[in-house]
Amino acid sequence: MVNIQKLVRPNILNLKAYSSARDEFKGEAKIYLDANENPISLSKSVNEVELNRYPDPHQNQLKEKLANIKGVSAENIFVGNGSDEAIDLLFRIFCEPNVDNVIICPPTYGMYEVSANINSAQIIEVPLTIDFELDIEKILDRQNQKTKLLFICSPNNPTGNSLSQIEKLIDKFNGIIVIDEAYIDFSTQQSFAQKVNDYPQVVVLQTLSKAWGLAATRVGLAFANDKIINWLNQVKPPYNVSLLNQQAAIETLDLKDAFEQQVHLILTQRTWLAEQFQNFKWVKKVYPSDANFLLIQVENAQDIYQFLLNNGIIIRNRHSILPNCIRITVGTKQENLKLIDTLKLF
Ligand SMILES: *Cc1c(COP(=O)(O)O)cnc(C)c1O
């Protein structure tokens, strides 16, 4: 069993965290004169909410909703200003700058590398295998005493597949295994979020930016054992998720039926799009997708990209990381139809 405490930077272990006004008084009171807020709200939000008070620094109401939906307890949930905040915090908790390293498995989400560079963590690259699976042996072989984090994205962006070998790493890897499940709601794969108490070295990242349609609100989630959640909470800025964003998330999480319908629609459209692309003679391969996008290898990615751009349709050219591959997000039925009709003219 990995000793998590030993992986944490000494300055974080010794940190005396900021104590906010709302940490020091948590109950209900008649008059609040403790946080230097304006007693009057000059304007209100679209839902007529007053905006003069600081939001709940621990997002308790939101966490209760999430706990219900995800089947985990609230003490195993961290809410960040996007998953990107959680990624950055993990570096700051575990990686001593210019000393420690992390393993990433390209081609994958670009933020792991950027965040490593921002935090002066050395990067060890262990590429995915030819069929986009984890190279378990090489990961275990390349880890060393200074390896603190391993980033696994499943379903993976931009390849779209779920990684099937993750469990084999647990207990064998010496550091924290970060499993980014941004696309899990589109996947047939089981989440690791419910297993964080069995696997204390695992941190699961999810987001409300994709299937929940809340990218504008920047609500990212981390699921982990309560020790890691505590460190995340100590290192985060006290009021990291705004009142407006917490409220939007709380309201949207009630729309479970609409959410499921929406996911179903995207999955139906993903299948339709994949079939349509198979018919184009310039398509070399439509990769299987467990996410809300398709990775497609074509004869010339730049030509397709430019042609669609000229027609007002923007896709992602991934040629720089996967030769002649494009990544296309599944849109509405009308958008997808327009995409295919346009491509018939290519
Ligand atoms: C979109 C995406 C996220 C989401 O990031 P947020 O900051 O929560 O919007 C995280 N990880 C991956 C792999 C993604 O593709």
Side-chain angles (χ1 to χ4, degrees):
M1 188 79 81
V2 177
N3 184 340
I4 309 240
Q5 189 119 349
K6 276 174 92 171
L7 296 169
V8 177
R9 294 169 66 201
N11 61 316
I12 302 299
L13 282 179
N14 296 326
L15 184 69
K16 192 174 178 307
Y18 180 74
S19 178
S20 72
R22 281 292 74 73
D23 284 321
E24 292 181 7
F25 178 82
K26 290 193 167 99
E28 292 287 318
K30 288 201 193 88
I31 299 175
Y32 290 95
L33 302 175
D34 60 347
N36 294 349
E37 299 151 337
N38 193 317
I40 305 294
S41 186
L42 296 179
S43 70
K44 290 181 178 177
S45 77
V46 281
N47 321 357
E48 295 291 295
V49 187
E50 298 195 331
L51 299 173
N52 56 315
R53 300 290 177 187
Y54 281 103
D56 176 2
H58 303 294
Q59 310 99 17
N60 284 317
Q61 205 189 339
L62 174 55
K63 282 181 188 167
E64 267 174 46
K65 281 250 148 77
L66 288 166
N68 265 321
I69 290 173
K70 303 288 180 183
V72 296
S73 40
E75 72 207 25
N76 296 122
I77 304 176
F78 167 81
V79 182
N81 185 29
S83 314
D84 295 339
E85 180 175 35
I87 293 169
D88 180 64
L89 291 173
L90 289 168
F91 278 100
R92 288 157 69 189
I93 292 167
F94 292 106
C95 295
E96 199 60 42
N98 300 312
V99 174
D100 291 330
N101 66 63
V102 302
I103 297 181
I104 63 175
C105 305
T108 192
Y109 186 45
M111 271 313 286
Y112 314 138
E113 183 178 347
V114 173
S115 210
N117 288 333
I118 290 169
N119 288 289
S120 293
Q122 195 208 325
I123 295 168
I124 298 175
E125 287 194 359
V126 180
L128 296 175
T129 62
I130 192 105
D131 48 358
F132 298 148
E133 286 286 354
L134 292 168
D135 193 337
I136 302 286
E137 269 175 36
K138 202 167 251 168
I139 289 171
L140 295 175
D141 188 49
R142 300 274 330 257
Q143 70 175 343
N144 60 41
Q145 291 303 312
K146 302 292 182 200
T147 305
K148 297 300 179 73
L149 305 173
L150 162 65
F151 285 94
I152 295 173
C153 188
S154 181
N156 185 39
N157 178 5
T159 60
N161 61 309
S162 293
L163 306 182
S164 61
Q165 313 273 343
I166 299 172
E167 221 123 12
K168 290 192 184 158
L169 279 168
I170 295 173
D171 278 343
K172 295 212 184 86
F173 185 71
N174 295 331
I176 302 291
I177 303 174
V178 184
I179 307 175
D180 188 341
E181 297 184 340
Y183 299 98
I184 194 74
D185 296 310
F186 304 108
S187 165
T188 50
Q189 223 57 21
Q190 268 256 286
S191 168
F192 277 85
Q194 294 81 21
K195 299 183 189 158
V196 291
N197 285 317
D198 304 332
Y199 301 144
Q201 64 178 136
V202 168
V203 176
V204 176
L205 301 179
Q206 290 188 11
T207 179
L208 302 188
S209 295
K210 306 282 158 66
W212 283 98
L214 288 172
T217 67
R218 314 299 306 117
V219 176
L221 316 172
F223 303 91
N225 73 75
D226 56 348
K227 271 191 181 167
I228 295 181
I229 296 295
N230 277 338
W231 287 313
L232 286 166
N233 282 329
Q234 287 186 8
V235 177
K236 82 179 176 75
Y239 304 105
N240 61 324
V241 184
S242 86
L243 178 80
L244 299 175
N245 294 345
Q246 290 188 46
Q247 279 210 327
I250 287 165
E251 285 167 21
T252 305
L253 288 170
D254 278 336
L255 310 177
K256 195 158 175 286
D257 289 348
F259 164 79
E260 279 167 7
Q261 262 179 28
Q262 189 62 40
V263 168
H264 178 75
L265 204 87
I266 288 170
L267 296 186
T268 313
Q269 284 295 304
R270 183 181 76 193
T271 306
W272 182 80
L273 268 182
E275 285 165 8
Q276 296 299 309
F277 270 99
Q278 305 281 8
N279 296 332
F280 292 121
K281 65 176 191 320
W282 42 265
V283 165
K284 289 198 164 158
K285 180 160 187 173
V286 181
Y287 288 90
S289 172
D290 229 6
N292 66 336
F293 58 84
L294 290 173
L295 182 76
I296 301 169
Q297 192 187 33
V298 297
E299 274 171 10
N300 189 320
Q302 182 57 30
D303 287 351
I304 297 288
Y305 176 81
Q306 190 61 45
F307 177 77
L308 287 174
L309 177 69
N310 295 344
N311 285 277
I313 299 173
I314 314 300
I315 61 165
R316 202 83 193 263
N317 183 355
R318 300 280 68 188
H319 178 68
S320 58
I321 46 176
L322 283 166
N324 282 317
C325 281
I326 52 176
R327 195 194 71 188
I328 300 185
T329 308
V330 179
T332 64
K333 194 173 174 180
Q334 290 76 12
E335 288 170 338
N336 301 331
L337 197 62
K338 181 78 189 152
L339 169 72
I340 296 300
D341 280 349
T342 305
L343 283 171
K344 283 177 181 163
L345 305 172
F346 174 75

